[in-house]
């Protein structure tokens, strides 16, 4: 009777040994001397009170496997972990349970650390980060100051997203479909003075680099869409109001009213300028359009209700109606406002503007479907070729003129709805007959030549609002002095420590709880020494995480944010794995901060992550995991029962890592059985016979090594595990006695997934050092590996459903039989009839099913 597999005992033994011998951590000297540095990074967790979620565990395990795989190939793999512990989430929880975050967070971190150690990832606990540690956020504040010095941090009045639930402003990226991504409350728009990072200055570069960085395609696409570059033209329409402000007329009164609102601008003019300014005659409405080719179809204009121009142009007759409309819109919440399917509303201003192409005076309306935050807050409406303009024109009886003819249409074909497709330009004077793309270029040229507009690129990306009216974050290192104005805190006075505040609850006031702590915010001005006042807002938690990867190798040094020599050696990050929900938040912000630091000479690279791969998401027994459903998988209980090795292997086996999968309790049995069988096959070491693999096993072994190697490097963990299982089954078929040469190579192959078991087996096989301490990854001979097996791509209706190894030269019939044994193929064939089979010998089988 052989010794039973006891995962709990083995795992405890190896975790203790790894900690004792520093197997997974670098000394400072090792970090400097590493010959084959490989920086393997995963998104650090926010340490919630609930403990490590299975979602974290899934992400981390997949990342750890990749790191261990590189290490087994002889790389010096640096795999740090830390805690993203500032932010509203932690603070809200602290408020809920009535424990101060300064007490709660260290407790959560201790719990997370315990759990992270239990899963057997090879974290370097010598180099860890807690963003709430003043030693860390000192440098977060330093980064703010660098941006401030570079003119990239500005305080400006702007419409911002205010979450009434969290009592703070949010970045655009934190508003999902009009709701707060944290608490789900409908977000309001407020006009507040806030700190912004001018990320828009980097919009083009952030976009351009997407063409060469090696990232998951969907993540790149998400960034591209978020940056939202569009090419078009800015076009000027001269306002030709009917009233033209005769002195003493009601119009002049309206004009005075408008001037009063624009007192600042008026103030800046000298006397002569003021005297010669006939505001109304000089008024223009600038619009941005991506379709300048449709300018002949612009039959009216629409301004956003918030657009100041409304004050200037509204005629006295229309003023009351316009005011009422604007007030009604101002009272509306953003979610309702931004709904695209609601009925169009609006009001005529009484004013007209001159369409430079047609020479017509077209009416100017105010309507809430035009927003201030894209382009100029004004549009030229082309109802024939824009759905919203079409609805609006139909409702208010405004003219609709076709200027693009689709296939089969002519200039007079009536429109039942907006035509938004491609076509030929019609009803457009000299541009008639052109393809719309050519017309776009030609119209822009014509506009530029005649002074009516210019080519322009527009971005959807907005500046990053980084100030938060909350307590739990690093104070923004700025001091306000009546004499000197805005004064940055001198770098040698960093960190500006977050004080312990008993009452840190946020309120409706729009200022941070720190504004209630006079003893903290009253300070002498660093310039003149007079009484001054600290900025009381704290910075966004996404600033903490926008640079953390730079800090890990340098955690031993308090005099620099990141040591130049270590940074050159270890950065940029070689592999980064994380959730795609951060595509336009963390992943975009950290790229931006890296570019800025490069431009300032602190870094010699501008993209922080050489390779980024997103992981998929888990569901539980077919349903989304959530606390309210009570089906959240708590990793601890599974690990206690099955061991970390089985749990890790199962997580990676339940689906393609980059797509996620369905966690099923009974699913753990399979991976457990595999590990146990491996144990049972190897542990009676002295019974393992001859040292040469038998003939047909040898081919299988090489093919398996190749498949596992290729699969892991592409994060296809589930198929790598399946290949190992299949190999072990073949080796032990009918309880065949396997020999050492057939079994030993499986140990390093399985090591990334089941590191404790692999260490134990490695030791029992007579090795005296850790399996992870040298280049122990097995090699394969491609000739032997391919000898008689080829990988068939099996498609159903042209879509790849499986890749199956089959004997070289297999017949079409046999290949079909083999293919139909695959569950994933059968699933798509079942219920249909195979109408046609495409067979490419040794390569492809396509089943056409109807
Ligand atoms: Zn909220
Ligand atoms: Zn001063």
């Amino acid at each position: 009777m052989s010794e039973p597999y006891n995962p709990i005992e083995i795992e405890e033994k190896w975790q203790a040994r790894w900690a004792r011998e520093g197997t997974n951590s670098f000394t400072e000297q090792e970090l400097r001397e590493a010959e084959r540095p490989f920086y393997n990074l995963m998104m650090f967790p926010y340490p919630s009170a609930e403990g490590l979620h299975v979602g974290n565990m899934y992400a981390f395990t997949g990342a750890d496997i990749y790191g261990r795989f590189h290490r087994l190939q002889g790389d010096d793999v640096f795999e740090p972990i830390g805690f993203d512990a500032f932010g509203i989430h932690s603070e809200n929880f602290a408020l809920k349970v009535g424990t101060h975050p300064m007490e709660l967070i260290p407790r959560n971190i201790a719990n997370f650390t315990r759990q992270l150690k239990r899963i057997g990832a090879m974290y370097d606990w010598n180099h860890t980060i807690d963003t709430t540690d003043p030693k860390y956020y000192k440098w977060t504040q330093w980064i703010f100051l660098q941006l401030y010095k570079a003119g990239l941090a500005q305080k400006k009045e702007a419409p911002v997203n205010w979450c009434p639930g969290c009592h703070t402003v949010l970045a655009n990226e934190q508003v999902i479909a009009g709701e707060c991504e944290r608490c789900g409350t409908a977000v309001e728009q407020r006009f507040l003075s806030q700190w912004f990072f001018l990320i828009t200055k980097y919009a083009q570069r952030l976009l351009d680099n997407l063409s060469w960085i090696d990232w998951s395609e969907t993540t790149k696409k998400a960034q591209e869409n978020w940056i939202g570059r569009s090419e078009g033209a800015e076009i000027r329409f001269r306002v030709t109001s009917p009233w033209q402000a005769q002195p003493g007329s009601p119009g002049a009164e309206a004009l005075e009213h408008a001037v009063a609102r624009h007192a600042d601008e008026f103030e800046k003019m000298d006397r002569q300028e003021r005297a010669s300014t006939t505001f109304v005659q000089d008024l223009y409405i600038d619009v941005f359009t991506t379709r300048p080719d449709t300018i002949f179809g612009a039959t009216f204009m629409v301004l956003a209700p918030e657009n100041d121009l409304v004050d200037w142009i509204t005629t006295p007759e229309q003023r009351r109606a316009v005011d009422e409309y604007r007030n009604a819109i101002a009272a509306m919440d953003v979610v309702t406002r931004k709904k695209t399917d609601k009925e169009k509303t609006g009001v005529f201003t009484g004013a007209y503007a001159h369409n430079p192409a047609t020479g017509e005076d077209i009416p100017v309306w105010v309507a809430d479907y035009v927003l201030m935050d894209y382009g100029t807050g004004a549009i030229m409406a082309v109802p024939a070729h824009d759905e919203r303009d079409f609805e609006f024109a139909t409702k208010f009886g405004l003219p609709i003129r076709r200027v693009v003819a689709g296939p089969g249409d002519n200039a007079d074909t009536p429109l039942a709805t907006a035509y938004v497709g491609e076509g030929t330009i019609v009803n457009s004077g000299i541009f008639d007959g052109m393809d719309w793309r050519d017309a776009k270029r030609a119209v822009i040229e014509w506009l530029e030549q005649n002074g009516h507009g210019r080519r322009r690129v527009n971005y959807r990306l907005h500046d990053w609002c980084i100030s938060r009216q909350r307590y739990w974050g690093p104070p923004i290192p700025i001091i306000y002095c009546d004499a000197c104005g805005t004064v940055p805190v001198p770098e040698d006075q960093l960190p500006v420590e977050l004080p312990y505040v008993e009452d840190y609850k946020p309120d409706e006031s729009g200022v941070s709880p720190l504004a209630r702590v006079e003893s903290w915010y009253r300070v002498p001005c660093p310039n003149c020494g007079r009484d001054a006042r600290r900025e009381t807002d704290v910075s966004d938690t996404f600033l903490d995480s926008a640079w953390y990867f730079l800090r890990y190798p340098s955690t031993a040094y308090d005099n620099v944010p990141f040591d130049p020599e270590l940074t050159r050696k270890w950065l940029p990050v070689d592999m980064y794995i994380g959730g795609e929900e951060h595509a336009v938040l963390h992943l975009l912000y950290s790229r931006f901060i890296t570019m800025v630091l490069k431009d300032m000479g602190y870094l010699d690279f501008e993209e922080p992550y050489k390779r980024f791969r997103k992981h998929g998401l888990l569901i539980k027994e077919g349903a989304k995991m959530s606390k309210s459903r009570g089906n959240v998988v708590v990793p601890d209980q599974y690990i206690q029962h099955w061991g970390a090795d089985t749990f890790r292997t199962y997580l990676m086996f339940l689906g393609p890592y980059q797509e996620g999968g369905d966690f099923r309790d009974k699913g753990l049995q399979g991976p457990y059985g595999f590990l146990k069988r491996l144990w049972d096959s190897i542990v009676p070491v002295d019974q393992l016979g001859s040292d040469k693999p038998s003939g047909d096993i040898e081919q299988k072994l090489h093919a398996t090594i190749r498949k596992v190697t290729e699969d892991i490097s592409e994060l296809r963990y589930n198929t790598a595990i399946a290949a190992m299982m299949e190999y072990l089954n073949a080796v032990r078929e009918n309880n065949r006695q396997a020999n050492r040469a057939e079994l030993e190579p499986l140990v390093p192959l399985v090591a990334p997934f089941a590191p404790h078991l692999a260490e134990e087996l490695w030791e029992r096989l007579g090795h005296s050092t850790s399996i992870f301490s040298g280049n122990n990854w097995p090699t394969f001979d491609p000739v032997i590996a391919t000898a008689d097996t080829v990988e068939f791509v099996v498609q159903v209706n042209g879509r790849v459903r499986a890749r199956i190894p089959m004997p070289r030269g297999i017949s079409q019939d046999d290949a079909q039989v083999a293919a139909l044994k695959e569950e994933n193929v059968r699933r798509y064939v079942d219920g249909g009839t195979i109408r046609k089979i495409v067979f490419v010998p040794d390569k492809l089988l396509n089943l056409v099913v109807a």
Side-chain angles (χ1 to χ4, degrees):
M1 188 62 211
S2 72
E3 187 183 341
Y5 173 40
N6 185 340
I8 306 301
E9 201 173 281
I10 292 170
E11 290 171 11
E12 266 173 26
K13 167 183 162 182
W14 285 97
Q15 285 172 13
R17 189 178 297 181
W18 291 336
R20 195 168 64 241
E21 295 179 356
T23 310
N24 299 324
S25 50
F26 285 85
T27 63
E28 293 318 308
Q29 194 183 350
E30 285 166 348
L31 213 50
R32 285 188 190 276
E33 290 173 357
E35 276 170 18
R36 291 175 56 180
F38 187 92
Y39 191 166
N40 189 53
L41 185 68
M42 55 205 81
M43 289 182 181
F44 63 164
Y46 121 76
S48 69
E50 295 89 356
L52 198 65
H53 183 272
V54 70
N56 304 126
M57 176 94 176
Y58 182 65
F60 297 161
T61 301
D64 182 58
I65 285 164
Y66 194 79
R68 288 188 180 275
F69 170 63
H70 270 267
R71 193 161 166 194
L72 284 156
Q73 295 177 47
D75 284 343
D76 297 303
V77 179
F78 179 50
E79 189 175 293
I81 193 85
F83 303 97
D84 191 13
F86 265 138
I88 292 177
H89 205 128
S90 305
E91 189 178 336
N92 283 353
F93 189 81
L95 282 165
K96 197 172 117 195
V97 299
T99 310
H100 198 278
M102 282 190 183
E103 290 155 34
L104 190 69
I105 292 299
R107 235 188 278 163
N108 292 353
I109 287 179
N111 187 38
F112 258 65
T113 304
R114 178 189 62 76
Q115 289 181 300
L116 287 167
K117 287 184 173 168
R118 186 63 191 87
I119 65 175
M122 53 170 197
Y123 297 129
D124 182 343
W125 291 103
N126 285 352
H127 296 89
T128 185
I129 283 170
D130 163 8
T131 55
T132 68
D133 182 347
K135 284 183 178 168
Y136 180 84
Y137 70 70
K138 168 183 179 174
W139 300 113
T140 307
Q141 293 170 335
W142 177 86
I143 283 175
F144 175 92
L145 292 178
Q146 305 318 304
L147 271 92
Y148 181 78
K149 281 182 207 157
L152 292 168
Q154 276 180 13
K155 197 167 199 187
K156 51 183 185 182
E157 284 255 314
V160 290
N161 310 297
W162 175 266
C163 173
C166 298
H167 300 301
T168 186
V169 302
L170 302 173
N172 286 327
E173 290 82 354
Q174 290 167 310
V175 182
I176 312 293
E179 291 171 0
C180 169
E181 60 140 16
R182 280 268 169 256
C183 71
T185 308
V187 170
E188 294 171 359
Q189 211 149 62
R190 281 198 181 183
F191 213 72
L192 291 172
S193 184
Q194 298 290 320
W195 282 99
F196 286 88
F197 280 172
L198 307 191
I199 190 172
T200 50
K201 292 203 167 172
Y202 283 73
Q204 191 58 47
R205 213 156 129 199
L206 288 164
L207 191 64
D208 288 344
N209 285 9
L210 291 176
S211 68
W212 60 265
I213 53 178
D214 177 12
W215 281 30
S216 293
E217 283 306 318
T218 50
T219 316
K220 290 205 281 188
K221 193 79 206 155
Q223 290 209 350
E224 188 188 319
N225 291 340
W226 187 259
I227 295 167
R229 180 194 157 104
S230 49
E231 282 181 42
E234 192 174 86
I235 307 178
R236 312 207 91 173
F237 289 74
R238 185 167 50 81
V239 176
T240 57
S241 289
W243 44 282
Q244 291 291 327
Q246 294 301 316
S249 75
E253 193 192 315
L255 181 60
E256 241 170 81
H257 172 75
V259 169
R261 271 186 61 100
H262 290 264
D264 281 355
E265 279 165 47
F266 196 68
E267 206 61 45
K268 283 182 208 135
M269 297 177 179
D270 63 30
R271 212 158 51 88
Q272 205 166 5
E273 252 181 311
R274 284 186 204 175
S276 67
T277 300
T278 48
F279 282 90
V280 173
Q281 279 165 0
D282 288 353
L283 267 187
Y284 290 95
I285 301 174
D286 290 336
V287 303
F288 171 77
T289 172
T290 57
R291 293 297 304 274
D293 52 303
T294 63
I295 188 169
F296 282 81
T299 52
F300 61 100
M301 302 193 75
V302 185
L303 301 181
E306 296 84 356
N307 194 323
D308 284 350
L309 276 171
V310 177
D311 291 327
W312 294 65
I313 65 169
T314 301
T315 59
E317 295 77 20
Q318 289 298 101
R319 180 156 299 279
R320 179 195 290 263
V322 167
D323 285 350
E324 276 171 11
Y325 182 71
R326 295 174 94 189
N327 290 340
I329 297 303
M332 199 184 279
D333 67 273
V334 182
V335 185
T336 318
R337 166 92 188 265
K338 289 194 175 171
K339 269 195 191 125
T340 48
D341 54 351
K342 72 177 166 42
E343 197 177 330
K344 295 280 171 293
T345 60
V347 60
F348 180 41
T349 61
Y352 289 82
H354 186 77
N355 181 330
T358 61
E360 295 165 324
D361 284 349
I362 56 177
V364 183
W365 286 64
V366 180
D368 73 333
Y369 78 93
V370 174
L371 302 167
M372 269 320 278
D373 55 9
Y374 181 81
T376 58
I379 62 157
M380 67 175 205
V382 182
H385 305 293
D386 179 282
E387 277 157 17
R388 293 176 313 166
D389 295 346
F390 186 90
E391 272 177 60
F392 193 83
T394 308
K395 176 162 177 186
F396 293 102
L398 293 158
I400 299 173
R401 183 187 307 136
R402 177 193 281 278
V403 291
V404 181
D409 294 334
N410 61 44
D412 304 317
T413 312
L415 288 145
T417 176
Y419 175 69
V420 296
E422 307 187 343
T424 308
I425 299 298
V426 293
N427 295 326
S428 298
I430 55 168
F431 303 103
D432 278 357
M434 282 186 178
D435 176 74
W436 72 278
R437 285 180 215 83
D438 299 332
K440 185 169 166 175
R441 278 186 291 272
V443 168
I444 293 174
E445 231 169 80
W446 179 85
L447 289 167
E448 285 182 338
Q449 277 164 11
N450 293 281
H452 297 307
R454 62 191 175 95
R455 204 183 90 87
R456 209 185 103 178
V457 172
N458 200 50
Y459 298 94
R460 180 172 171 259
L461 183 70
H462 284 63
D463 285 331
W464 172 16
C465 176
I466 61 119
S467 40
R468 294 288 178 275
Q469 294 70 50
R470 297 290 298 238
Y471 169 67
W472 195 233
I476 293 172
I478 288 288
I479 291 169
Y480 302 104
C481 167
D482 285 342
C484 312
T486 303
V487 184
V489 172
E491 284 178 23
D492 59 8
Q493 290 175 26
L494 296 180
V496 178
E497 282 206 36
L498 180 69
Y500 183 94
V501 175
E502 195 66 56
D503 172 24
Y504 60 91
K505 200 173 161 37
D507 59 27
E508 259 296 303
S509 62
V511 293
S512 153
L514 291 176
R516 302 194 293 255
V517 190
E518 204 181 333
S519 58
W520 180 78
Y521 70 68
R522 274 189 177 282
V523 282
C525 167
N527 262 355
C528 69
R530 268 180 270 212
D531 278 355
R533 188 188 158 94
R534 282 194 193 283
E535 169 66 62
T536 53
D537 282 356
V538 299
S539 58
D540 181 9
T541 175
F542 281 103
L543 179 55
D544 306 333
S545 57
W547 75 280
Y548 79 115
F549 52 92
L550 296 171
R551 181 67 185 159
Y552 277 133
S554 302
T555 50
Y557 307 95
D558 288 336
N559 59 332
V560 282
F562 38 87
D563 177 86
E565 191 196 323
L566 287 170
T567 304
R568 261 193 303 279
K569 189 173 204 69
W570 288 97
L571 283 128
V573 168
D574 292 284
M575 176 57 130
Y576 195 24
I577 289 177
E580 196 166 38
E581 69 275 19
H582 291 299
V584 298
L585 291 153
H586 163 63
L587 287 169
L588 190 64
Y589 297 150
S590 50
R591 293 183 60 214
F592 162 63
I593 293 293
T594 305
M595 282 179 190
V596 172
L597 292 173
K598 191 217 174 202
D599 289 351
M600 298 188 77
Y602 291 113
L603 298 174
D604 56 11
F605 54 90
E606 65 179 42
E607 285 294 338
Y609 320 116
K610 278 189 221 163
R611 211 170 168 215
F612 169 78
R613 289 293 180 274
K614 58 141 190 178
H615 59 73
L617 297 175
L618 291 185
I619 54 174
K620 175 80 199 294
E621 316 274 350
K624 194 172 181 282
M625 263 185 244
S626 71
K627 263 191 271 178
S628 55
R629 278 202 179 89
N631 66 345
V632 174
V633 172
V634 180
D636 298 45
Q637 66 202 45
Y638 290 92
I639 293 173
Q640 267 155 31
H641 184 81
W642 296 95
D645 283 340
T646 292
F647 194 62
R648 289 167 59 102
T649 308
Y650 174 58
L651 285 178
M652 296 303 110
F653 187 57
L654 51 70
Y657 181 60
Q658 294 183 74
E659 286 161 41
D662 189 359
F663 189 104
R664 291 179 181 270
D665 287 352
K666 65 175 194 295
L668 284 109
Q669 191 63 53
Y672 178 79
F674 164 62
L675 297 181
K676 183 176 177 307
R677 195 172 196 194
L678 184 62
W679 169 271
D680 290 341
S681 303
I682 293 180
V683 162
V685 177
D686 41 5
Q687 287 171 31
L688 300 177
S690 105
D691 259 356
K692 203 179 160 350
S694 70
D696 53 333
I697 298 287
E698 185 180 30
Q699 186 277 323
K700 258 196 160 25
L701 173 63
H702 284 260
T704 303
I705 296 170
R706 180 174 64 186
K707 176 147 181 67
V708 173
T709 306
E710 289 172 356
D711 282 358
I712 296 184
S713 44
E714 292 303 323
L715 279 62
R716 294 192 298 258
Y717 299 143
N718 56 331
T719 53
I721 296 166
M724 288 187 277
M725 288 173 165
E726 196 187 302
Y727 174 73
L728 187 59
N729 285 344
V731 168
R732 300 297 322 276
E733 202 170 11
N734 301 321
N735 270 330
R736 171 184 175 276
Q737 172 65 52
N739 68 45
R740 180 172 177 135
E742 292 164 352
L743 289 169
E744 184 163 344
L746 258 185
V747 179
L749 291 186
V750 85
F753 302 91
H756 314 85
L757 173 66
E759 288 274 37
E760 181 67 23
L761 293 174
W762 196 246
E763 187 180 59
R764 286 174 184 246
L765 283 163
H767 301 279
S768 55
T769 53
S770 163
I771 192 169
F772 298 102
S773 65
N775 186 346
N776 288 319
W777 193 255
T779 53
F780 61 89
D781 181 333
V783 176
I784 302 175
T786 39
D788 28 75
T789 306
V790 286
E791 192 184 69
F792 256 79
V793 172
V794 180
Q795 299 177 330
V796 180
N797 292 338
R799 298 196 60 171
V800 178
R801 297 303 178 191
R803 294 170 194 275
I804 309 172
M806 299 192 199
R808 186 178 291 281
I810 191 172
S811 71
Q812 176 177 327
D813 289 350
D814 289 349
Q816 188 183 336
V817 170
L820 289 170
K821 280 185 186 161
E822 271 309 293
E823 204 208 314
N824 201 42
V825 174
R826 237 185 11 246
R827 190 184 331 160
Y828 292 97
V829 171
D830 275 359
T833 312
I834 298 174
R835 298 269 179 216
K836 193 179 155 200
I837 297 171
V838 181
F839 180 72
V840 182
D842 293 337
K843 285 205 174 69
L844 175 123
L845 182 72
N846 181 16
L847 306 173
V848 181
V849 177

